[in-house]
Amino acid sequence: MKVTSPIGELPFVVRGVSLHDGHVVVEGELGAWRSRIEVGAEDLPMLGRAFRGPLIAAGLGLAGIALLRRR
């Protein structure tokens, strides 16, 4: 994986994934820095908004394929 930021592109290497206090915790290295990402239930609305467009597009694509296959 990579992260693009104002200081450039940095590799993100996942070293582990765990559950901690109801959060999904991803531990890894961002360039030279040890990093930790926590995702909890309170983040789901934000993630839902971020994925809404791609999910709608995927749904429309699958519906289109289903319609073509029916013919």
Side-chain angles (χ1 to χ4, degrees):
M1 284 192 260
K2 70 177 177 179
V3 175
T4 302
S5 74
I7 63 169
E9 289 184 355
L10 299 169
F12 182 78
V13 179
V14 176
R15 297 292 182 203
V17 178
S18 62
L19 288 175
H20 183 69
D21 292 333
H23 290 88
V24 175
V25 178
V26 179
E27 303 220 24
E29 296 170 2
L30 179 62
W33 300 287
R34 295 180 93 190
S35 303
R36 177 181 169 121
I37 300 167
E38 291 187 32
V39 180
E42 65 276 9
D43 299 313
L44 292 178
M46 175 184 54
L47 290 170
R49 286 189 299 274
F51 281 108
R52 180 176 47 218
L55 289 176
I56 290 171
L60 290 174
L62 290 174
I65 290 170
L67 286 172
L68 289 173
R69 292 183 111 194
R70 291 180 96 191
R71 292 182 174 188

